[in-house]
Short mmCIF file of all heavy atoms in Angstrom, two decimals:
data_model
loop_
_atom_site.label_atom_id
_atom_site.label_comp_id
_atom_site.label_asym_id
_atom_site.label_seq_id
_atom_site.Cartn_x
_atom_site.Cartn_y
_atom_site.Cartn_z
N SER B 115 -101.00 239.18 31.29
CA SER B 115 -99.80 239.90 30.88
C SER B 115 -99.90 240.23 29.39
O SER B 115 -100.62 239.58 28.65
CB SER B 115 -98.53 239.09 31.18
OG SER B 115 -98.48 237.93 30.39
N PRO B 116 -99.15 241.25 28.98
CA PRO B 116 -99.28 241.71 27.59
C PRO B 116 -98.67 240.75 26.59
O PRO B 116 -97.87 239.90 26.93
CB PRO B 116 -98.50 243.02 27.59
CG PRO B 116 -98.15 243.33 28.98
CD PRO B 116 -98.22 242.06 29.75
N SER B 117 -99.01 240.90 25.34
CA SER B 117 -98.37 240.17 24.25
C SER B 117 -97.12 240.95 23.86
O SER B 117 -96.98 242.12 24.23
CB SER B 117 -99.32 240.08 23.07
OG SER B 117 -99.70 241.38 22.66
N PRO B 118 -96.18 240.42 23.09
CA PRO B 118 -96.22 239.10 22.52
C PRO B 118 -95.60 238.07 23.43
O PRO B 118 -95.03 238.41 24.46
CB PRO B 118 -95.39 239.25 21.25
CG PRO B 118 -94.36 240.27 21.63
CD PRO B 118 -95.05 241.22 22.59
N ASP B 119 -95.71 236.85 23.06
CA ASP B 119 -95.08 235.76 23.78
C ASP B 119 -93.59 235.79 23.48
O ASP B 119 -93.18 235.58 22.36
CB ASP B 119 -95.68 234.43 23.33
CG ASP B 119 -95.07 233.25 24.06
OD1 ASP B 119 -94.26 233.47 24.98
OD2 ASP B 119 -95.39 232.12 23.72
N LEU B 120 -92.78 236.12 24.47
CA LEU B 120 -91.35 236.26 24.26
C LEU B 120 -90.60 235.02 24.69
O LEU B 120 -89.45 235.10 25.12
CB LEU B 120 -90.84 237.48 25.04
CG LEU B 120 -91.46 238.81 24.62
CD1 LEU B 120 -90.94 239.94 25.49
CD2 LEU B 120 -91.16 239.10 23.16
N GLY B 121 -91.24 233.88 24.60
CA GLY B 121 -90.55 232.66 25.00
C GLY B 121 -90.46 232.57 26.49
O GLY B 121 -91.46 232.62 27.18
N ARG B 122 -89.25 232.47 27.01
CA ARG B 122 -89.09 232.25 28.44
C ARG B 122 -89.04 233.54 29.24
O ARG B 122 -88.93 233.49 30.46
CB ARG B 122 -87.81 231.47 28.70
CG ARG B 122 -87.92 230.05 28.28
CD ARG B 122 -86.65 229.32 28.53
NE ARG B 122 -86.84 227.90 28.31
CZ ARG B 122 -86.45 226.96 29.14
NH1 ARG B 122 -85.83 227.30 30.24
NH2 ARG B 122 -86.66 225.69 28.88
N LEU B 123 -89.10 234.67 28.60
CA LEU B 123 -88.98 235.89 29.37
C LEU B 123 -90.27 236.20 30.10
O LEU B 123 -91.34 236.18 29.52
CB LEU B 123 -88.60 237.05 28.47
CG LEU B 123 -87.21 236.96 27.83
CD1 LEU B 123 -86.96 238.16 26.96
CD2 LEU B 123 -86.14 236.85 28.91
N GLN B 124 -90.12 236.52 31.39
CA GLN B 124 -91.28 236.90 32.17
C GLN B 124 -91.83 238.23 31.69
O GLN B 124 -91.09 239.11 31.30
CB GLN B 124 -90.89 237.07 33.64
CG GLN B 124 -90.57 235.82 34.38
CD GLN B 124 -90.27 236.14 35.82
OE1 GLN B 124 -90.98 236.92 36.44
NE2 GLN B 124 -89.19 235.59 36.33
N GLU B 125 -93.11 238.35 31.77
CA GLU B 125 -93.76 239.62 31.56
C GLU B 125 -94.41 240.04 32.86
O GLU B 125 -94.77 239.20 33.67
CB GLU B 125 -94.82 239.51 30.47
CG GLU B 125 -94.27 239.19 29.11
CD GLU B 125 -95.38 239.09 28.08
OE1 GLU B 125 -96.30 238.31 28.28
OE2 GLU B 125 -95.30 239.82 27.08
N THR B 126 -94.59 241.33 33.04
CA THR B 126 -95.27 241.82 34.23
C THR B 126 -96.67 241.26 34.26
O THR B 126 -97.41 241.35 33.27
CB THR B 126 -95.33 243.35 34.24
OG1 THR B 126 -93.99 243.85 34.21
CG2 THR B 126 -96.04 243.85 35.47
N GLN B 127 -97.05 240.68 35.38
CA GLN B 127 -98.39 240.13 35.53
C GLN B 127 -99.25 241.12 36.31
O GLN B 127 -98.83 241.67 37.31
CB GLN B 127 -98.33 238.80 36.27
CG GLN B 127 -97.62 237.71 35.50
CD GLN B 127 -97.57 236.42 36.27
OE1 GLN B 127 -98.59 235.92 36.77
NE2 GLN B 127 -96.39 235.85 36.38
N TYR B 128 -100.48 241.28 35.85
CA TYR B 128 -101.45 242.14 36.50
C TYR B 128 -102.54 241.25 37.08
O TYR B 128 -103.21 240.52 36.35
CB TYR B 128 -102.03 243.15 35.50
CG TYR B 128 -100.97 244.05 34.92
CD1 TYR B 128 -100.25 243.68 33.80
CD2 TYR B 128 -100.67 245.27 35.54
CE1 TYR B 128 -99.25 244.50 33.29
CE2 TYR B 128 -99.68 246.10 35.02
CZ TYR B 128 -98.98 245.70 33.91
OH TYR B 128 -97.99 246.51 33.41
N PHE B 129 -102.68 241.33 38.39
CA PHE B 129 -103.56 240.41 39.10
C PHE B 129 -104.95 240.99 39.31
O PHE B 129 -105.11 242.19 39.57
CB PHE B 129 -102.97 240.05 40.47
CG PHE B 129 -101.87 239.04 40.41
CD1 PHE B 129 -100.60 239.41 40.01
CD2 PHE B 129 -102.12 237.72 40.73
CE1 PHE B 129 -99.58 238.46 39.94
CE2 PHE B 129 -101.11 236.77 40.68
CZ PHE B 129 -99.84 237.15 40.28
N GLY B 130 -105.93 240.11 39.23
CA GLY B 130 -107.29 240.47 39.58
C GLY B 130 -107.49 240.45 41.09
O GLY B 130 -106.58 240.08 41.84
N PRO B 131 -108.69 240.79 41.55
CA PRO B 131 -108.98 240.85 42.98
C PRO B 131 -109.17 239.49 43.63
O PRO B 131 -109.20 239.39 44.85
CB PRO B 131 -110.26 241.68 43.05
CG PRO B 131 -110.92 241.44 41.74
CD PRO B 131 -109.81 241.27 40.74
N GLY B 132 -109.31 238.45 42.82
CA GLY B 132 -109.44 237.10 43.36
C GLY B 132 -110.87 236.66 43.58
O GLY B 132 -111.81 237.48 43.69
#
Side-chain angles (χ1 to χ4, degrees):
Chain B
S115 66
S117 57
D119 181 5
L120 299 177
R122 288 179 171 228
L123 294 180
Q124 289 183 45
E125 296 180 304
T126 300
Q127 294 180 51
Y128 299 87
F129 282 78

